[in-house]
Amino acid sequence: MNPQKILEEVKRGESVILDVRTDGEWSEGHIDGALHFDLARLMQGEKLSLDLNTHIYTYRRSGGRATTALSILEEQGFKNTTCMTYIVTGK
């Protein structure tokens, strides 16, 4: 996975980077252009208002939240999801 390629896809509106961390973690730093949607909201059944064919990249600070989010998104019908191995460390 090429981070520059992903960022270019996002800029062109072809993909979304989904940050499923908490509000506090988001405020500590995040990828520019990422969409913030706390995993807890997904777990409570809230849905993203995106086309089901949108390529969604989830990423993590640590642990399995991005993978959990990916599973929920797939259950919701999203067809093009990828869990990035990029680890967020700050601003």
Side-chain angles (χ1 to χ4, degrees), residues 18-69:
L18 182 64
D19 186 325
V20 295
R21 299 174 303 144
T22 65
D23 292 341
E25 290 169 320
W26 168 265
S27 67
E28 290 173 5
H30 54 272
I31 296 174
D32 286 338
L35 171 64
H36 180 233
F37 201 90
D38 192 322
L39 176 61
R41 293 171 60 193
L42 283 173
M43 293 178 79
Q44 293 169 357
E46 259 188 86
K47 296 184 179 184
L48 294 173
S49 44
L50 296 172
D51 182 281
L52 294 177
N53 293 310
T54 301
H55 192 164
I56 300 173
Y57 293 96
T58 59
Y59 73 96
R60 61 188 171 84
R61 179 175 180 175
S62 63
R65 286 179 287 184
T67 304
T68 300

